[in-house]
Amino acid sequence: MADSEPPERQAGVSDVDLSGQTVLVTGSTNGIGRVAALAFGRLGARVLVHGRSPEAGDALVSEIDDTPGSARFLRADFADIEAVEGLAAEGRETVGTVDVLCNNAGGFFRGPEPTSLGVRRGLPGHPPRAVCLAAGPPGLAPLHLLP
């Protein structure tokens, strides 16, 4: 199998039809999240593209709109709880229900200070590191996207 094949073909799911399904891909304006968002678009999904850069988000939306799927950009910095709540509200107003959550967003936190929800951003006694938000305890911001 060639590396140039789309990931959905490599995974053996290129025949899956996601028409009528809404997929939120957090952290999708670059890297693995971008590749995942494009794959969901090629499978026909309505993709909610999430990130901090409107320019990168709009560019990805244009690419997805050239596939069988469609897309919309939702901006939010997951380090800001109010921005996450705003993203959740905008998502609910825009599409109502998210059928698939591809939780790809991560962050780089300098210390273990808790968020306003009391969730630690890092591990006490450990140096700064990249943290995948999906790996944390319940209450972490992305889990608040669905009602």
Side-chain angles (χ1 to χ4, degrees):
M1 193 172 315
D3 285 340
S4 62
E5 286 186 300
E8 61 274 21
R9 174 169 275 175
Q10 291 180 35
V13 297
S14 57
D15 60 342
V16 171
D17 182 6
L18 293 178
S19 300
Q21 301 291 304
T22 299
V23 178
L24 169 59
V25 183
T26 65
S28 56
T29 54
N30 59 53
I32 293 170
R34 186 176 190 286
V35 172
L38 284 165
F40 284 121
R42 286 190 296 268
L43 295 174
R46 177 176 190 183
V47 182
L48 297 178
V49 171
H50 159 260
R52 294 176 294 179
S53 166
E55 295 81 15
D58 291 343
L60 181 55
V61 165
S62 290
E63 280 189 70
I64 293 170
D65 284 344
D66 288 336
T67 71
S70 63
R72 178 183 174 101
F73 176 65
L74 301 175
R75 184 188 185 287
D77 182 345
F78 277 3
D80 178 351
I81 298 301
E82 288 180 10
V84 173
E85 290 170 347
L87 176 129
E90 183 179 355
R92 280 191 298 270
E93 289 171 16
T94 302
V95 298
T97 301
V98 171
D99 301 295
V100 178
L101 171 61
C102 180
N103 196 1
N104 173 70
F108 184 80
F109 305 107
R110 297 202 177 273
E113 300 83 21
T115 68
S116 61
L117 295 175
V119 177
R120 289 187 298 182
R121 295 182 179 172
L123 301 172
H126 289 75
R129 64 178 69 205
V131 177
C132 175
L133 293 178
L140 218 50
L143 301 178
H144 289 274
L145 296 176
L146 303 175

